[in-house]
Amino acid sequence: MADAAADSRLLPSRFADWFAAQGWSPRAHQLEMVARAQAGRDALLIAPTGGGKTLAGFLPSLVELAGQPREARRGVHTLYISPLKALAVDVERNLSRPIREIGLDVTAESRTGDTGIARRQRQKVHPPDILLTTPEQLALFCAWEGSRLYFEDLACVVIDEIHALHASKRGDLLSLGLARLSALAPGMRRIGLSATVDDPDVIRRWMGCGDRPVDLVRGPPGAPPEVDLLLSNGRTPWAGHTAQHAMAEVYDAIRKARTALVFVNTRFQAEFAFQELWKLNDDGLPIALHHGSLAPEQRRKVEAAMARGELKAVVCTSTLDLGIDWGDVDLVIQLASPKGASRMVQRIGRANHRLDEPSRAFFVPANRFETLECQAARECIAENRLDGEPLRTGALDVLAQHLLGCACAEPFDEAALLAEVRTAGPFRDLSAADFDLTLDLTATGGYALQAYDRFRRLVRNPEGLWTVRNGETARRHRLNLGAILSPEMLSVRIAQGARLVGGRKIGEIEEGYFEMLDPGDTFVFAGQVWSLAGITGMDVLVRPARASDPKMPSWGGSKFALSSHLARRVRRMMSDEAAWAVLPPDVNEWLGLQRRHSRIVAEDEMLVETFPRGRRHFLVAYPFEGRLAHTTLAMLLTRRLERAGAQPLGFVCNDYALAVWSLKPMDEVDMDDLFAQDMLGDDLEDWLAESFMMKRAFKGCAIIAGLIERRFPGEPRKSGRQVTFSTDLIYDVLRRHQPDHLLLRCARQDAAEGMIDAARLGDLLARVAGRVRHVRLDRLSPFAVPMLMEIGKERSPGQAGDAILAEAESELIAEALA
Amino acid sequence: MNAVETLGLNPASDGSLELVLAGEAARLLSSGALLLEGYSALVVADLHLEKGSAFAGRGQLLPPLDTRETLRRLAADTAAVAPERIVFLGDAFHDHEASRRMSEDDRQVLEDLGRAAGLVWITGNHDPEPDGDLPGEAAEEVRLGGLILRHEPQPAPAPGEIAGHLHPCARIATPRGAVRRRCLVTDGERAILPAYGAFTGGLNVLDPAFAGLFARPPVVAALGDRRVHAAGARSLRPDRS
């Protein structure tokens, strides 16, 4: 508790009265934020959920506005930016209460992509004191001719859930928007808010303006969460990802809770768990489903029912990682692998928004490796050791988009703009040469030939400043900006009558999903079984089906890879027999079997097993570095094994291990050579250049840089996702004729970071160099069982499939233990 | 009788596919050019030269490299098969102004081609007026024995016709996944050639635009990375977006 005299200096009496009327006293970090603001300092506030974080972010602005007569205010005073539209709207509602009750003459309004045109127009003419919006709306403001006038009196910008924004292209774009705002309003303060931050310094560097320091303010630590493993009768399966074995216990836990959030990692798992829970739901509990493919109206309905306290549980994916507060949630259940400690803290924080009571959570491991992972995550959370993301280097395709936006707003001087861009954290080390290349990309497409001089999008005006070529260019830019890319989505609609006519829309699914389905095939979506009737244009037409064993192809893997921090914990836990004591008996026994039948290696070593099975030979390696890095590694290993004459046939990967099978034995392969670090040279480059991942990455960069447009003026929004030209054709031509083109460089970087995890693979190879422990076995090991179970399981995880899998699994286990 | 039997499909070691069209021997190169061996004629459809610069004029700065890439392919094909003539099956240029936007280097490549073989420009809908500065001669259609070469396919079955205009593409599905490739489509009586230009997209052969052109279910010859692959109607899938 801060002392009262200091309080009164910081808080005007009507604020203090309001706190008192609520039966509260202002929290130390709330007052601290006011004090920092009055000293003109930027600040990052880290406070647990339920700690009055949002109010702390706005309190300095409210205090300042309370002392300003309305006529003295000109533009927006405080700009609030949230990663979610819904959050901006929710904060608008939450702010209105203190404003009203304190009796402040302050207006606060949200503005998102869903805000009506009339309100947006009015906001431009009569700016509210506090404007609540999203990064994309800020980018639009930056590309508006009126931006300088609108923001020149801006006093403060508040960035909420900052941990969810900074390490992405969206964050790059936002950082450039902030640089612009600081240029327009040099006195502007920046405030960042977050509940879960591993490394505050990374975020402070990201959000700071140039060398201006950002103060760190911490709220009180909340009560540590209570996290337990839910072990179904003490038995965890050897393999699998669905946690089907534990559903009865999960249901029971939901029944006993007030309100539960059941988190899963993929939409497939969400659909599966939802179905399984409803099979058990004899009490008819209101259990709902929420994931990114459901129609927005459907999701809004679930959120509203949740807010009204009408639901017992929601099965959800990362779509509910962030969001508005639901006071009633008292239990969080994580089904299957947690993947990383930070995400878990975020998810667990969705339960119990009171500081003094611990949040409660269950982890439900779906297999024995996941038991290790869940235990490791539990320890990380208890020690508050979160996984961090390094400071990003800003993407140049995003910079290209920003430069065009700046030119749409007003003519710019390139030296001044370079200096401004360098005040954005991710772009602080931007070289003048790269800036010039990016400016040329924006202006002419960046081609070595000067063919496009007459088609420039940017031209120099008589004063030597860069400006946009014409109004048409500006209009098209505003339609296409943003750094969020979504895959091509097809609408799922109920077929009407015998003819293929689309009716009510029930959601959206990625185009690729339907590659595997033929008309008549059944699948589960939005909690029901459907049969595919046909596909017309952008619509997938379905009919309700009653199939009890729907064909349910795997629906994308988890997009999250096991964090390196958690992976290290798992390796350490496995290598240290003394640490096994905390693990459940069945997992303990399994580790013991592995030691007896194969080998347990030290934390910094890597185990590789080779063994024959059927008419094939297998190589299984256990790097524990996440599925992405493993997939890249397996791809490169197969190339090497091919050259070595082993005739590899295929491979499979998960977060823990990878398995390659071949026609010829691999027992005599020199494993130190096989895993030598030089595979990251030519082998990687050769493979990457031809891979679909580069083409996909290139498409993303071409869209963000504005080389290819998603939308044309006057086109309906609906068809807007399709690009107007095949980027694969451009990729091929550029690669042949201008291999040093800037966008190829951007694509290479994106693919290396996001799709193949090249950095992590490099770390892995360096870590295990000279420490590969090769064990030649005459049959598979206990650890190898789950890997072999992964093979071929993709196609039919329905009920019949499960029976087959169970049978196959027991055979495999018997074989390992024979 | 089914189309596959009369087509005499025969993959050659260089990746091309030999086939018989209306009784005449032909060879589809993996680049998408069709060689009519009996007439020493290399036929290429829909080059759409300067498509990149046409988009640039409307504000989308696609690479100005398509003409160079397309002509490079054509020069390589010409060097490999040494035809007496090269027949452009219409829409060689993307628009009326296109030939005037060509770079000097690209124009030089075209002139070299004109010295290596006789160039015949069949007029298409994008380039109705032949450009007087270009080497070669213009024609509305060309007859070679029983074959008739024109830009736009006639609406009814037309034995012996070799046309372009539609930019046929096939989406071919296997249990391992689906791929989409440019293709020649034929029933053995007539053929529609794939677009040859580096920036030309494609229209799925299951599109209604192809309906009624063939007397029996056609076969496609799809352009893979290194060779031409034949595929029948059962492997074809409509586009998904």
Side-chain angles (χ1 to χ4, degrees):
Chain A
M1 170 85 52
D3 78 77
D7 285 12
S8 67
R9 280 199 302 279
L10 292 169
L11 277 192
S13 59
R14 44 182 174 152
F15 283 77
D17 293 346
W18 178 78
F19 272 100
Q22 313 295 313
W24 302 341
S25 47
R27 294 180 191 276
H29 63 273
Q30 292 173 330
L31 295 173
E32 185 70 27
M33 291 302 283
V34 177
R36 302 284 166 159
Q38 290 179 354
R41 309 276 295 181
D42 296 341
L44 169 64
L45 170 64
I46 300 176
T49 322
K53 179 165 38 88
T54 311
L55 186 57
F58 284 103
L59 203 51
S61 297
L62 294 177
V63 168
E64 196 168 296
L65 283 164
Q68 259 180 20
R70 170 144 299 282
E71 17 347 315
R73 300 179 210 157
R74 285 195 300 173
V76 172
H77 177 279
T78 293
L79 183 69
Y80 164 92
I81 293 165
S82 137
L84 298 178
K85 289 188 261 184
L87 198 54
V89 175
D90 193 53
V91 168
E92 174 185 11
R93 196 164 43 233
N94 295 344
L95 260 186
S96 67
R97 195 168 72 100
I99 289 176
R100 193 178 59 242
E101 293 177 356
I102 300 172
L104 300 173
D105 178 20
V106 170
T107 51
E109 288 186 10
S110 65
R111 177 194 183 90
T112 71
D114 299 337
T115 306
I117 294 178
R119 183 161 147 141
R120 287 206 227 181
Q121 289 297 346
R122 181 172 52 70
Q123 285 171 341
K124 281 195 170 170
V125 184
H126 303 289
D129 300 314
I130 300 176
L131 183 64
L132 309 132
T133 190
T134 59
E136 288 65 37
Q137 293 294 319
L138 174 58
L140 271 173
F141 271 121
C142 288
W144 173 45
E145 302 91 333
S147 57
R148 181 171 293 274
L149 208 59
Y150 198 73
F151 287 121
E152 65 184 357
D153 289 322
L154 188 67
C156 176
V157 58
V158 179
I159 307 143
D160 203 356
E161 305 276 17
I162 195 167
H163 63 277
L165 279 170
H166 76 101
S168 63
K169 286 195 175 181
R170 219 179 159 205
D172 293 345
L173 188 60
L174 175 56
S175 76
L176 292 167
L178 294 175
R180 177 102 284 225
L181 290 177
S182 289
L184 300 178
M188 182 193 86
R189 286 178 294 107
R190 301 180 180 192
I191 292 178
L193 305 177
S194 180
T196 37
V197 170
D198 162 61
D199 186 350
D201 292 345
V202 168
I203 295 192
R204 285 157 78 190
R205 274 204 299 279
W206 180 83
M207 67 175 273
C209 181
D211 294 328
R212 230 170 99 144
V214 177
D215 294 344
L216 180 62
V217 177
R218 282 189 189 272
E226 284 172 10
V227 184
D228 287 304
L229 298 197
L230 191 154
L231 301 165
S232 179
N233 299 320
R235 300 303 293 178
T236 309
W238 287 55
H241 301 284
T242 58
Q244 190 182 14
H245 69 288
M247 279 310 164
E249 284 96 331
V250 170
Y251 178 72
D252 205 43
I254 290 173
R255 213 160 45 84
K256 289 179 187 149
R258 198 161 61 227
T259 307
L261 284 177
V262 182
F263 281 104
V264 295
N265 293 326
T266 67
R267 282 172 275 183
F268 162 74
Q269 285 174 331
E271 293 280 358
F272 181 84
F274 179 74
Q275 291 265 309
E276 291 294 308
L277 289 172
W278 270 93
K279 279 184 202 161
L280 299 167
N281 194 358
D282 295 333
D283 304 309
L285 303 177
I287 298 176
L289 177 65
H290 193 285
H291 61 66
S293 281
L294 298 177
E297 316 82 72
Q298 174 74 17
R299 276 183 275 159
R300 295 299 94 78
K301 255 169 93 183
V302 171
E303 289 158 19
M306 194 70 182
R308 289 192 302 270
E310 292 169 2
L311 297 179
K312 190 73 177 166
V314 183
V315 179
C316 54
T317 59
S318 55
T319 48
L320 291 189
D321 278 4
L322 299 176
I324 58 175
D325 289 356
W326 292 319
D328 271 352
V329 177
D330 63 338
L331 177 65
V332 165
I333 298 173
Q334 167 69 29
L335 278 189
S337 162
K339 307 288 183 199
S342 293
R343 179 170 303 100
M344 280 310 109
V345 168
Q346 180 77 32
R347 287 183 170 180
I348 293 167
R350 302 307 311 270
N352 185 25
H353 282 206
R354 261 168 302 174
L355 260 188
D356 42 346
E357 283 176 28
S359 306
R360 256 189 339 127
F362 280 127
F363 287 172
V364 189
N367 61 50
R368 292 179 185 197
F369 275 123
E370 286 189 1
T371 308
L372 297 171
E373 189 190 323
C374 288
Q375 177 61 27
R378 240 181 112 189
E379 292 175 8
C380 289
I381 292 165
E383 295 164 24
N384 203 21
R385 288 290 312 268
L386 308 181
D387 354 87
E389 308 233 29
L391 184 65
R392 263 177 72 84
T393 303
L396 297 181
D397 50 331
V398 174
L399 178 60
Q401 184 184 109
H402 180 71
L403 295 183
L404 188 52
C406 290
C408 292
E410 58 184 34
F412 66 77
D413 171 71
E414 64 184 270
L417 191 57
L418 170 59
E420 176 189 314
V421 164
R422 281 176 173 162
T423 66
F427 295 93
R428 66 175 56 207
D429 297 325
L430 177 70
S431 69
D434 278 353
F435 180 82
D436 290 345
L437 278 175
T438 311
L439 186 56
D440 186 42
L441 173 69
T442 309
T444 69
Y447 305 111
L449 303 169
Q450 290 305 308
Y452 282 178
D453 263 355
R454 68 198 134 139
F455 303 130
R456 299 178 149 275
R457 291 188 297 188
L458 298 187
V459 293
R460 275 191 201 270
N461 70 9
E463 291 81 51
L465 304 180
W466 290 99
T467 181
V468 74
R469 182 176 166 211
N470 52 29
E472 170 73 6
T473 309
R475 199 154 52 245
R476 283 162 65 156
H477 171 69
R478 291 185 194 117
L479 272 176
N480 284 285
L481 57 69
I484 305 176
L485 293 172
S486 40
E488 304 283 337
M489 299 294 273
L490 302 184
S491 297
V492 182
R493 292 179 186 279
I494 298 174
Q496 289 181 327
R499 289 174 307 129
L500 287 183
V501 180
R504 185 167 67 85
K505 177 174 169 177
I506 50 177
E508 292 187 334
I509 300 187
E510 291 95 341
E511 185 189 3
Y513 177 70
F514 291 98
E515 299 278 328
M516 296 158 77
L517 288 179
D518 287 321
D521 281 349
T522 53
F523 64 105
V524 176
F525 182 67
Q528 287 183 56
V529 182
W530 306 94
S531 108
L532 178 64
I535 296 176
T536 62
M538 297 288 282
D539 290 339
V540 178
L541 304 178
V542 300
R543 295 197 173 90
R546 278 194 315 203
S548 57
D549 56 343
K551 180 175 176 175
M552 197 158 45
S554 69
W555 189 0
S558 167
K559 59 184 165 176
F560 311 118
L562 181 67
S563 78
S564 18
H565 180 64
L566 210 48
R568 200 175 321 127
R569 282 261 179 171
V570 171
R571 286 199 307 270
R572 187 183 312 154
M573 190 180 295
M574 269 190 347
S575 61
D576 176 10
E577 290 187 31
W580 296 2
V582 299
L583 297 168
D586 60 334
V587 175
N588 231 309
E589 182 194 29
W590 174 65
L591 291 168
L593 288 170
Q594 171 70 13
R595 183 180 50 198
R596 182 138 35 96
H597 289 269
S598 173
R599 185 170 172 180
I600 295 283
V601 299
E603 183 190 342
D604 58 350
E605 297 175 334
M606 181 174 73
L607 174 66
V608 176
E609 297 169 337
T610 51
F611 53 86
R613 188 162 185 281
R615 276 169 302 180
R616 302 275 184 262
H617 296 271
F618 285 80
L619 180 154
V620 186
Y622 303 88
F624 291 89
E625 285 293 354
R627 195 173 38 84
L628 280 182
H630 291 171
T631 306
T632 309
L633 177 57
M635 209 73 135
L636 298 175
L637 287 181
T638 359
R639 287 170 81 104
R640 290 192 157 187
L641 289 165
E642 183 82 56
R643 285 203 294 269
Q647 300 183 25
L649 297 170
F651 66 82
V652 67
C653 300
N654 64 17
D655 271 335
Y656 315 110
L658 61 98
V660 181
W661 55 95
S662 64
L663 284 172
K664 296 280 165 60
M666 293 174 279
D667 297 327
E668 299 315 316
V669 173
D670 182 323
M671 291 299 164
D672 284 318
D673 272 1
L674 184 64
F675 287 91
Q677 296 178 58
D678 60 7
M679 80 168 77
L680 288 180
D682 295 347
D683 276 349
L684 179 67
E685 294 307 321
D686 287 355
W687 167 65
L688 190 58
E690 296 293 335
S691 82
F692 74 96
M693 285 182 278
M694 272 296 279
K695 291 186 175 172
R696 206 165 66 187
F698 179 80
K699 180 176 179 179
C701 294
I703 290 173
I704 288 178
L707 203 67
I708 286 291
E709 291 173 348
R710 282 178 279 202
R711 295 172 61 198
F712 283 123
E715 222 178 71
R717 235 161 208 276
K718 241 178 111 174
S719 62
R721 286 216 180 80
Q722 279 174 298
V723 298
T724 48
F725 198 89
S726 162
T727 52
D728 289 2
L729 298 176
I730 303 179
Y731 175 78
D732 287 338
V733 164
L734 266 187
R735 235 185 79 201
R736 184 187 297 276
H737 296 283
Q738 198 181 334
D740 61 349
H741 191 268
L742 184 60
L743 280 186
L744 292 178
R745 206 173 103 198
C746 291
R748 168 80 182 62
Q749 189 179 337
D750 283 5
E753 278 173 15
M755 301 175 188
I756 65 172
D757 225 346
R760 195 152 168 202
L761 177 56
D763 292 348
L764 184 172
L765 295 175
R767 170 169 69 79
V768 303
R771 283 187 287 273
V772 179
R773 300 290 169 251
H774 179 193
V775 186
R776 295 172 185 83
L777 302 171
D778 49 14
R779 63 173 68 91
L780 80 170
S781 72
F783 276 11
V785 169
M787 284 319 290
L788 268 62
M789 295 294 302
E790 302 267 351
I791 300 170
K793 85 172 167 44
E794 303 259 294
R795 283 312 285 258
S796 55
Q799 284 173 336
D802 264 2
I804 297 164
L805 282 178
E807 200 178 318
E809 180 176 7
S810 53
E811 276 173 27
L812 275 174
I813 293 168
E815 192 182 326
L817 303 185
Chain B
M1 192 163 46
N2 98 21
V4 177
E5 289 166 37
T6 55
L7 273 167
L9 298 174
N10 184 29
S13 58
D14 63 354
S16 65
L17 183 73
E18 293 175 3
L19 65 172
V20 178
L21 295 174
E24 302 275 2
R27 189 146 69 88
L28 182 65
L29 310 185
S30 58
S31 63
L34 186 74
L35 180 64
L36 299 172
E37 309 204 82
Y39 305 95
S40 190
L42 188 68
V43 189
V44 287
D46 299 284
L47 275 65
H48 286 263
L49 298 173
E50 293 298 315
K51 185 172 175 179
S53 58
F55 270 69
R58 282 178 273 140
Q60 290 224 61
L61 300 173
L62 303 185
L65 299 162
D66 57 316
T67 302
R68 171 193 283 214
E69 170 63 15
T70 306
L71 293 179
R72 184 196 64 81
R73 282 183 204 165
L74 187 55
D77 281 346
T78 304
V81 303
E84 283 172 23
R85 59 187 128 186
I86 300 173
V87 182
F88 295 89
L89 217 46
D91 287 359
F93 291 93
H94 188 66
D95 56 72
H96 298 221
E97 304 297 314
S99 69
R100 280 182 279 281
R101 292 197 305 271
M102 272 172 88
S103 74
E104 271 314 303
D105 288 356
D106 292 339
R107 184 170 283 269
Q108 190 57 50
V109 176
L110 207 49
E111 277 166 15
D112 291 347
L113 281 171
R115 276 188 287 275
L119 305 187
V120 184
W121 303 91
I122 290 178
T123 43
N125 50 320
H126 280 246
D127 48 7
E129 299 293 325
D131 180 337
D133 292 349
L134 294 169
E137 52 184 290
E140 287 204 8
E141 38 186 62
V142 171
R143 284 179 189 272
L144 297 172
L147 299 174
I148 177 158
L149 279 51
R150 62 166 73 102
H151 176 61
E152 198 166 336
Q154 300 296 299
E161 182 194 82
I162 294 178
H165 182 59
L166 291 175
H167 302 200
C169 255
R171 188 164 167 276
I172 298 171
T174 73
R176 288 201 298 165
V179 293
R180 192 174 190 276
R181 291 286 186 273
R182 296 185 228 205
C183 68
L184 175 146
V185 54
T186 180
D187 58 357
E189 292 299 317
R190 72 187 309 181
I192 300 165
L193 295 196
Y196 193 79
F199 276 1
T200 46
L203 183 66
N204 195 300
V205 292
L206 299 182
D207 188 274
F210 291 91
L213 293 181
F214 299 104
R216 52 190 171 183
V219 167
V220 302
L223 309 180
D225 290 338
R226 282 169 198 85
R227 53 172 288 244
V228 180
H229 306 261
R234 268 190 300 182
S235 308
L236 301 179
R237 298 286 180 274
D239 287 336
R240 257 61 196 289
S241 63

